[in-house]
Amino acid sequence: MHQPALDLHRPVDVLPRMPKDPHPPPRAVPRVHSPGTKGRALRGGFAGAPRYHSDPGRFRDAGARAAERQEAATPLLPPRDSGSRLRPSGKGTQIWKKKGAIYEGDWKFGKRDGYGILSLPDQETGKYRKVYSGWWKGDKKSGYGIQFFGPKEYYEGEWCGNQRSGWGRMYYSNGNIYEGQWRNDKPDGEGMLRLKNGNRYEGYWQRGLKNGSGRFFHLDHGQLFEGFWVDNVAKCGTMIDFGRDEAPEPTQFPIPEIKLLDPDSVLEEALATFKKTQED
C-alpha cells in the first residue's frame, strides 16, 4: 500500500496520521476454559493461541475461580446427626428447662467441648449461681476447672471424665484445705491436708484416706508424728516435740527420751508388718 512521505521539517503536532490498515493481523488471545467447554475457543480465541503463565493468578482456570466464588457464597450449615437434629459447633448457650441449668461456652458437634460455664438457679435467692467454669471434652469436665459445691466450698484443679483427677486444691466449708493428687474424685497419691487450726498432714492417700507413709504436724501442741497410716489410722511411728515453745497450747510435759536399745529396728519391723498386710 502506498504511504505518503514524511516531512521531517514540519512540527510534530502537524504530522499526517497514518491510514488505518483495514485488515490487521490477528492477535493471540489466551485460551480460557470453563467446565463443559474443554477444547473449544471462547470469545475470539483460537486453537493455536498461546497460554500465558507470567502471572498464574491472573490466568487461572475460570471454572476454578467460579467454584471458589460459589463456595464463598454458600453458608456453612451446622452438622446434623442421624436423626437430622442440629449438632452445633462453636460458641453458644444452652438452657435446660427441666433443671433450669444454663451453659455458655464452646460446643463441638452438639456437645460441650472447650471452655464453658455451667450455672444453676439458686433456690434461696432466685438468681443463677456459677457451678462450674473450666474446660470440657465430649460433654464432660476435662482439663482445668473450678467447681463450686457451696458458698464456701469449691475445688480448683484438673478433671477427667467429670471427676477430679490429677492435681487439685479443695477448699472445704469447715475451713480445711487439701492440696495434692486426685483420682476417681478422691484424694489419691501425695497430698497435704491443712486443718483450720493450722495442724496438717503431709503424706500419701488412697481412696480419700490417709494410707502409707506420712507426717502429722500437731502445731497447736508443738509435736510431730511421723509414721505409717492405714485407712486414716496411724499404725506405727515416732512422736517428737516440734516447736513446742512456740505452740499456742503446748503439752504439759515434753516427750521423754526413748529407752529402747534398738528403736529403729523395732520401728522397721512394725512398718514391714503393716506394709505387707496392706499389700495383701
Side-chain angles (χ1 to χ4, degrees):
M1 177 182 296
H2 176 72
Q3 298 181 358
L6 296 177
D7 187 354
L8 301 179
H9 296 285
R10 296 175 63 183
V12 176
D13 57 350
V14 295
L15 289 176
R17 298 182 62 181
M18 300 297 293
K20 186 176 181 181
D21 191 347
H23 302 289
R27 292 183 300 173
V29 179
R31 296 180 65 184
V32 180
H33 297 283
S34 62
T37 61
K38 185 176 182 181
R40 292 187 294 143
L42 299 178
R43 297 185 181 275
F46 54 92
R51 301 286 299 273
Y52 295 93
H53 302 282
S54 59
D55 185 359
R58 182 180 178 186
F59 296 102
R60 284 193 310 168
D61 185 87
R65 292 199 300 270
E68 290 179 359
R69 290 194 297 268
Q70 179 65 23
E71 181 179 357
T74 304
L76 297 177
L77 298 177
R80 297 173 179 265
D81 60 15
S82 57
S84 298
R85 294 176 301 178
L86 290 176
R87 294 187 297 148
S89 295
K91 294 187 178 296
T93 301
Q94 171 72 36
I95 301 176
W96 288 269
K97 295 183 179 180
K98 187 175 182 180
K99 294 184 178 180
I102 295 180
Y103 171 81
E104 300 174 277
D106 298 325
W107 296 81
K108 186 175 181 181
F109 302 131
K111 295 184 178 181
R112 291 168 289 187
D113 201 297
Y115 183 83
I117 299 175
L118 179 66
S119 303
L120 289 173
D122 192 309
Q123 301 297 332
E124 297 180 359
T125 63
K127 299 180 180 180
Y128 277 92
R129 62 179 180 87
K130 188 185 299 182
V131 176
Y132 175 81
S133 63
W135 294 90
W136 304 73
K137 187 172 181 63
D139 221 31
K140 295 182 179 180
K141 303 167 198 166
S142 294
Y144 180 83
I146 302 177
Q147 172 84 34
F148 297 90
F149 298 93
K152 298 181 180 180
E153 186 166 307
Y154 64 95
Y155 167 87
E156 57 177 353
E158 296 176 309
W159 294 79
C160 183
N162 269 349
Q163 293 185 333
R164 291 167 286 187
S165 183
W167 179 92
R169 183 187 294 117
M170 181 70 195
Y171 295 85
Y172 296 94
S173 58
N174 59 5
N176 297 344
I177 302 174
Y178 171 82
E179 181 177 357
Q181 295 175 320
W182 293 74
R183 184 181 180 185
N184 296 330
D185 219 33
K186 295 180 180 180
D188 198 295
E190 288 189 78
M192 177 184 69
L193 177 65
R194 181 174 302 181
L195 305 180
K196 184 179 180 180
N197 61 5
N199 295 344
R200 69 178 186 272
Y201 167 82
E202 299 176 358
Y204 286 88
W205 300 73
Q206 284 183 356
R207 307 178 310 279
L209 304 174
K210 304 181 191 75
N211 276 282
S213 302
R215 299 187 299 173
F216 198 102
F217 294 82
H218 298 271
L219 300 180
D220 54 345
H221 300 313
Q223 294 178 331
L224 167 63
F225 175 84
E226 185 171 2
F228 192 83
W229 271 260
V230 175
D231 293 343
N232 265 359
V233 179
K235 294 295 184 179
C236 62
T238 58
M239 179 77 83
I240 63 173
D241 287 323
F242 183 85
R244 185 171 177 272
D245 295 337
E246 294 81 17
E249 299 177 5
T251 57
Q252 184 177 359
F253 302 102
I255 297 176
E257 183 181 356
I258 299 176
K259 298 297 183 179
L260 293 174
L261 296 178
D262 191 2
D264 293 336
S265 61
V266 175
L267 182 59
E268 289 177 1
E269 183 178 352
L271 284 173
T273 301
F274 287 115
K275 288 182 179 179
K276 184 178 180 180
T277 303
Q278 192 179 38
E279 292 175 357
D280 295 341

mmCIF file of all heavy atoms in Angstrom, residues 1-5 18-19:
data_model
loop_
_atom_site.group_PDB
_atom_site.id
_atom_site.type_symbol
_atom_site.label_atom_id
_atom_site.label_comp_id
_atom_site.label_asym_id
_atom_site.label_seq_id
_atom_site.Cartn_x
_atom_site.Cartn_y
_atom_site.Cartn_z
ATOM 1 N N MET A 1 0.852 -1.195 0.000
ATOM 2 C CA MET A 1 0.000 0.000 0.000
ATOM 3 C C MET A 1 0.882 1.237 0.000
ATOM 4 O O MET A 1 1.880 1.300 0.739
ATOM 5 C CB MET A 1 -0.926 -0.012 1.234
ATOM 6 C CG MET A 1 -1.788 1.210 1.347
ATOM 7 S SD MET A 1 -2.807 1.147 2.834
ATOM 8 C CE MET A 1 -3.769 -0.279 2.411
ATOM 9 N N HIS A 2 0.520 2.269 -0.785
ATOM 10 C CA HIS A 2 1.310 3.493 -0.876
ATOM 11 C C HIS A 2 1.068 4.358 0.356
ATOM 12 O O HIS A 2 -0.053 4.579 0.753
ATOM 13 C CB HIS A 2 0.931 4.276 -2.148
ATOM 14 C CG HIS A 2 1.649 5.600 -2.229
ATOM 15 N ND1 HIS A 2 3.009 5.684 -2.500
ATOM 16 C CD2 HIS A 2 1.200 6.869 -2.069
ATOM 17 C CE1 HIS A 2 3.365 6.971 -2.493
ATOM 18 N NE2 HIS A 2 2.270 7.700 -2.234
ATOM 19 N N GLN A 3 2.177 4.827 1.006
ATOM 20 C CA GLN A 3 2.100 5.693 2.177
ATOM 21 C C GLN A 3 2.769 7.011 1.846
ATOM 22 O O GLN A 3 3.842 7.043 1.220
ATOM 23 C CB GLN A 3 2.786 5.062 3.384
ATOM 24 C CG GLN A 3 2.161 3.757 3.822
ATOM 25 C CD GLN A 3 2.874 3.194 5.023
ATOM 26 O OE1 GLN A 3 3.838 3.788 5.465
ATOM 27 N NE2 GLN A 3 2.383 2.067 5.509
ATOM 28 N N PRO A 4 2.205 8.165 2.231
ATOM 29 C CA PRO A 4 2.807 9.470 1.929
ATOM 30 C C PRO A 4 4.120 9.660 2.662
ATOM 31 O O PRO A 4 4.311 9.146 3.758
ATOM 32 C CB PRO A 4 1.728 10.444 2.407
ATOM 33 C CG PRO A 4 0.990 9.722 3.452
ATOM 34 C CD PRO A 4 0.974 8.284 2.989
ATOM 35 N N ALA A 5 5.017 10.393 2.035
ATOM 36 C CA ALA A 5 6.336 10.646 2.636
ATOM 37 C C ALA A 5 6.193 11.657 3.756
ATOM 38 O O ALA A 5 5.362 12.566 3.716
ATOM 39 C CB ALA A 5 7.296 11.160 1.557
ATOM 40 N N MET A 18 -1.260 8.240 10.090
ATOM 41 C CA MET A 18 -1.102 7.079 9.233
ATOM 42 C C MET A 18 -2.473 6.471 8.999
ATOM 43 O O MET A 18 -3.273 6.342 9.908
ATOM 44 C CB MET A 18 -0.185 6.053 9.899
ATOM 45 C CG MET A 18 1.219 6.569 10.207
ATOM 46 S SD MET A 18 2.128 7.008 8.730
ATOM 47 C CE MET A 18 2.321 5.403 7.989
ATOM 48 N N PRO A 19 -2.751 6.089 7.756
ATOM 49 C CA PRO A 19 -4.047 5.449 7.493
ATOM 50 C C PRO A 19 -4.157 4.111 8.194
ATOM 51 O O PRO A 19 -3.174 3.395 8.334
ATOM 52 C CB PRO A 19 -4.040 5.298 5.957
ATOM 53 C CG PRO A 19 -2.618 5.304 5.567
ATOM 54 C CD PRO A 19 -1.917 6.228 6.552
#
